[in-house]
Every structure is written in structure tokens, then in C-alpha cells.
Amino acid sequence: MKHLININSLDIDEINQIYNRALEFEKGIRKANHINSHVVNMFFENSTRTKMSFEMAENKIHTNKYDFTADTSSIQKGEDLYDTINNLSAIGMNVVIMRHSDNKLIEKLCAKSYFQEISFINAGSGTDAHPTQALLDFYTIKKHFLNLYGKTLVIVGDVGHSRVAHSNINLLKKFGMKIRCAAPENLIGEKIEGVEYFTSLREAFEQADIVMALRIQRERIQEKIDFEEYIKNYQITKDNLPYAAFLMHPGPVNRDIEISSDVLELQNARTILNQAKNGVYVRMAVLDMILTAQGL
Ligand code: CP
């Protein structure tokens, strides 16, 4: 694996390889030492889980990590990001981990011939893709269910603006999962083939092994959002959550909007912190595979 830009670039074998390697890291039966490698974290959008778990993964596999802060960088003096990356490559960086609001920028930078020696990992691109989140969600689901085939995932909320939903749909469909999305019409976005869409939460929940709640991405929505109406029709509560459903959320959670606070105290919701924990092992696995492929 040279880069990780989106889930489409991974086949089932590669996804299973990442899963197995992450599991070995979690069990402590695999160690990695990439002391001669250099990884730069470039987050142009806010992050807690992705940034911190990449940093934790970097420490655990003994790579040298660098935090690029756009606000104090020469981007503020007008430098093009393309030139910035060239210079980081010249300085000796081996991997760029990038989060950016532009859906296709990371893909475009990655395709530029200058950076042949540097690997890119997409840590979230606009509304388009968040491949390591989908991989950690897959890891979390597979550890629990073992076989995903025929299981139903209901994604609830702002599917249209969610890179997490888009990457998860791409990945989980490969493993034969049934995907349902429940959202008001204005948050459904472009419909994806093979996915069932519902405006009624009750109907969507008639079949649900896993429920994945999403935050409403206010920062990407121009029009006024009627939160009262949303809460009334789509908030996940103790009353509407299907019994025994596995409850997931990529975070950050906006309490009492997409999920009521008391649901977060249920056994079903323990998965949410497991997702964050599993992100470390999955990111260790991805980095380990990319650095090993570079001979580092
Ligand atoms: N799930 C996720 O991407 O969370 P952060 O935005 O906190 O990284």
C-alpha cells in the first residue's frame, strides 16, 4: 500500500489484511519500529479523535512525528499547498497525513508527480471520504459480529454531508452488509446505489443490527436548520433505539441533538468509545503497512 486516499482503492483482501494487522497490534503480538521514518500531520480542519489517535499510533510504532500548524506556517505568507508539500518532501518527510475541507484536494496532491517518494493518508476530505474512520468502524463491527454478511446497518442523520457515511457505505457494501439511511429529505444528499433511504426513523429501524448516528455538520450547511423538528423526528432515544442494536457514532457527538444523553449511558453505547480506541490500532496498521512498503 503506497497511499490511502479512499476506500475504493482497497480490495477485500487488503481490508482484511489491515483488520488482521490491527488485531495483532491490539493483542500485542505484533510490534513495529519505524525509527528511521518521518510522518507529518497536517490538519486543516478541527479534529480530536483522528488527530490524537494518529499521534498515538505514530508513537506506538516509533516513527518520528511532526505537527504542521497551518496558522503558523508559511501558507499564511501565500505559499501554495503544492509547494509546501514539495518542501516537506525535500526536508525528508515520508508520509503526509492530511485532513482538508476540499473533497478532492488530497487526491489531486497525491497524483502530482513531484511527490513520488511521499505517501498520503486521507484523514478526512470534505464531505467525500474518511477511509481510516471506515476501517476502524469495520474493525469494531467485525470484532463483534465476526461475519458481516446480511447484517443491517442503519445510518441516521446528516448522511449527505458525511464523509464517514460515504466511506462506510463503500466499505461495508463490499462485505455484503445491508445499508439503510434515515434522514430528512434535505440531509439525504446524493443517493447511492444499493442503499435504502427512509424519511421515517421507525420504518428504518424495523430491521437494524447496528445503528450509526451522525452529527449534523452545521459548518457545511448554509440554510437554517430546524433542530426542534430534527430532534422530534430523528433523535435516537431510549424509546426508539431497537433493543440490542449495536450503537455507533464516529464522534464528535452533539448530546441531546442526534442522541439523547441517557442513551449514551446504555450498554449499547459503549461501542462509541471502543470506536475511538480501535482507531489507534487501525491507524497503527495502516501506517505500518505504508512505511514497510517504503522500506522504512
Ligand atoms: N470521527 C472523527 O473524525 O472525529 P474527529 O473529527 O474528532 O477527528
Side-chain angles (χ1 to χ4, degrees):
M1 188 162 59
K2 170 79 177 163
H3 308 286
L4 178 58
I5 304 300
N6 56 46
I7 291 297
N8 299 338
S9 65
L10 297 174
D11 61 28
I12 286 182
D13 283 349
E14 286 168 315
I15 295 167
N16 280 327
Q17 236 179 301
I18 293 168
Y19 174 87
N20 289 330
R21 196 169 291 218
L23 197 59
E24 288 172 4
F25 277 126
E26 182 175 7
K27 288 181 175 167
I29 56 178
R30 179 184 281 271
K31 303 276 179 221
N33 188 348
H34 296 285
I35 193 68
N36 294 320
S37 68
H38 303 274
V39 175
V40 57
N41 301 310
M42 303 181 79
F43 281 69
F44 294 90
E45 277 192 342
N46 296 345
S47 171
T48 296
R49 279 144 292 271
T50 311
K51 189 164 189 285
M52 289 298 121
S53 60
F54 262 118
E55 285 194 24
M56 178 70 77
E58 288 152 10
N59 284 332
K60 285 182 179 244
I61 64 164
H62 306 288
T63 180
N64 299 288
K65 67 179 172 65
Y66 305 84
D67 192 20
F68 177 90
T69 316
D71 284 350
T72 55
S73 76
S74 290
I75 286 182
Q76 300 304 327
K77 302 177 200 164
E79 188 172 47
D80 192 291
L81 190 50
Y82 172 67
D83 294 315
T84 303
I85 305 273
N86 273 336
N87 280 274
L88 293 177
S89 180
I91 287 166
M93 296 300 170
N94 307 113
V95 179
V96 167
I97 296 171
M98 189 181 288
R99 170 171 287 192
H100 204 283
S101 59
D102 186 307
N103 280 13
K104 294 294 168 196
L105 182 75
I106 302 169
E107 202 171 322
K108 282 183 203 152
L109 288 170
C110 177
K112 296 245 185 183
S113 56
Y114 255 63
F115 319 129
Q116 271 175 5
E117 284 168 13
I118 208 162
S119 292
F120 284 82
I121 299 176
N122 180 353
S125 49
T127 59
D128 188 51
H130 195 347
T132 58
Q133 178 70 43
L135 287 163
L136 76 88
D137 288 339
F138 168 75
Y139 182 85
T140 307
I141 295 169
K142 188 170 158 71
K143 267 188 76 182
H144 182 80
F145 289 97
L146 300 176
N147 185 6
L148 279 61
Y149 190 85
K151 295 279 183 296
T152 302
L153 164 69
V154 183
I155 306 177
V156 183
D158 187 3
V159 185
H161 299 100
S162 174
R163 55 194 174 209
V164 174
H166 296 141
S167 286
N168 262 308
I169 291 169
N170 276 341
L171 194 159
L172 298 171
K173 268 172 56 179
K174 289 180 195 273
F175 288 83
M177 280 190 70
K178 294 179 194 157
I179 317 276
R180 295 178 156 201
C181 292
E185 286 289 355
N186 62 331
L187 296 182
I188 278 179
E190 210 172 301
K191 291 191 176 170
I192 299 169
E193 205 186 315
V195 175
E196 285 185 280
Y197 291 88
F198 298 82
T199 48
S200 157
L201 190 63
R202 186 184 48 76
E203 283 175 26
F205 277 172
E206 278 170 11
Q207 205 188 329
D209 299 296
I210 303 158
V211 171
M212 183 181 288
L214 299 175
R215 175 180 72 89
I216 296 180
Q217 306 215 2
R218 300 175 218 214
E219 69 275 27
R220 303 189 208 281
I221 300 173
Q222 307 297 327
E223 67 267 27
K224 196 170 177 299
I225 305 157
D226 187 343
F227 281 101
E228 235 174 83
E229 193 64 15
Y230 182 86
I231 289 166
K232 191 172 88 188
N233 294 312
Y234 296 98
Q235 184 181 83
I236 296 169
T237 65
K238 276 185 172 174
D239 290 336
N240 64 25
L241 180 67
Y243 178 74
F246 199 58
L247 180 62
M248 301 179 77
H249 194 309
V253 173
N254 284 172
R255 277 177 178 262
D256 295 315
I257 298 181
E258 65 268 20
I259 303 184
S260 67
S261 272
D262 54 359
V263 168
L264 292 167
E265 309 309 323
L266 297 176
Q267 182 80 18
N268 311 49
R270 298 218 172 146
T271 323
I272 297 172
L273 290 180
N274 278 331
Q275 287 172 267
K277 177 181 163 198
N278 293 338
V280 177
Y281 306 121
V282 167
R283 290 174 174 127
M284 285 171 78
V286 168
L287 275 167
D288 183 43
M289 286 165 80
I290 285 177
L291 290 169
T292 302
Q294 283 201 32
L296 294 167

